[in-house]
Amino acid sequence: MPSPATRALTEPPSMERNNLGKNFMCRLQGMFSHPTLPESRLTLEDTQQWSKSLEELLQSKYGLASFRTFLKSEFSDENMEFWLTCEDYKKTKSSFRMMLRAKRIYEQFIKAESPKEINIDYQTREQIRRNVKDPTVSCFDEAQKIVYGLMERDSYPRFLRSDMYRTLLESLAADAAIRG
């Protein structure tokens, strides 16, 4: 039996990509699937829906996980992380907790030279700096719109063209053909 290195040299690239797709698909399904619930499995149809819009992609637990994995592989996941953090922030009920979370979001994503600084204009950054002093549910809305737009115009199309997404589609199509 040839070693994995020898197989990698002798297997056609499409077979190697298909194996990557199957491995990624298995990891995704392992994250969310319940063995007793067949509807929790990732399907070709669901995966094809992701190409309709960024919104469709983000509404799918598998789509969101796939997109985040893709962004992490490119070292560009700060926008997605910020967007998700803001979505979670909006659910905050206590004004004290809101104040703490708003300051943490500002320090982590908004402040110049912050660890996960997002790409927003100076005016928006300043507006948020002022808003964080007396935070509301909507104090990050403008930055969140900007970041969503950046993801929609840049990261999302790259994801749809990526080997990760394409091999996932190919792998699911092959599985669907086998199941008949």
Side-chain angles (χ1 to χ4, degrees):
M1 176 147 197
S3 71
T6 305
R7 271 197 317 271
L9 293 173
T10 58
E11 285 182 353
S14 60
M15 183 178 266
E16 188 177 309
R17 276 189 23 188
N18 197 26
N19 287 340
L20 288 173
K22 283 189 183 297
N23 288 341
F24 182 68
M25 182 178 66
C26 289
R27 281 191 313 183
L28 269 177
Q29 289 183 335
M31 289 167 57
F32 300 108
S33 290
H34 294 87
T36 57
L37 300 174
E39 67 274 6
S40 70
R41 293 188 54 79
L42 179 61
T43 67
L44 177 61
E45 294 77 26
D46 293 338
T47 309
Q48 290 169 331
Q49 292 292 320
W50 303 347
S51 67
K52 289 186 175 182
S53 70
L54 177 58
E55 187 176 339
E56 287 279 338
L57 175 72
L58 298 179
Q59 287 178 356
S60 161
K61 63 185 175 187
Y62 292 121
L64 178 59
S66 299
F67 191 48
R68 288 184 81 183
T69 301
F70 168 74
L71 292 173
K72 285 179 184 180
S73 76
E74 291 198 330
F75 304 100
S76 63
D77 61 326
E78 67 282 343
N79 286 339
M80 183 82 257
E81 195 173 330
F82 171 73
W83 190 83
L84 289 169
T85 300
C86 288
E87 288 297 293
D88 191 47
Y89 168 80
K90 291 174 185 179
K91 299 172 189 168
T92 307
K93 302 288 185 229
S94 155
S95 57
F96 178 72
R97 284 187 53 84
M98 187 173 285
M99 183 179 64
L100 293 175
R101 294 183 82 191
K103 286 181 180 179
R104 190 175 325 126
I105 292 169
Y106 177 80
E107 292 292 322
Q108 191 171 21
F109 298 101
I110 306 297
K111 186 177 174 182
E113 306 294 320
S114 61
K116 297 178 182 180
E117 184 179 357
I118 56 170
N119 186 12
I120 55 174
D121 59 90
Y122 176 79
Q123 290 79 13
T124 304
R125 195 176 304 280
E126 282 301 302
Q127 177 188 6
I128 291 171
R129 186 183 61 74
R130 290 187 298 273
N131 289 347
V132 167
K133 293 175 182 171
D134 188 23
T136 64
V137 172
S138 62
C139 72
F140 297 106
D141 283 359
E142 188 59 32
Q144 200 176 8
K145 283 181 203 166
I146 292 168
V147 161
Y148 188 91
L150 289 171
M151 289 190 301
E152 192 170 44
R153 288 186 309 276
D154 183 44
S155 308
Y156 173 64
R158 276 196 334 271
F159 169 73
L160 295 178
R161 292 187 306 266
S162 72
D163 282 344
M164 177 186 289
Y165 180 62
R166 293 165 84 153
T167 56
L168 187 58
L169 282 173
E170 289 169 12
S171 182
L172 287 166
D175 282 357
I178 290 169
R179 290 188 184 140

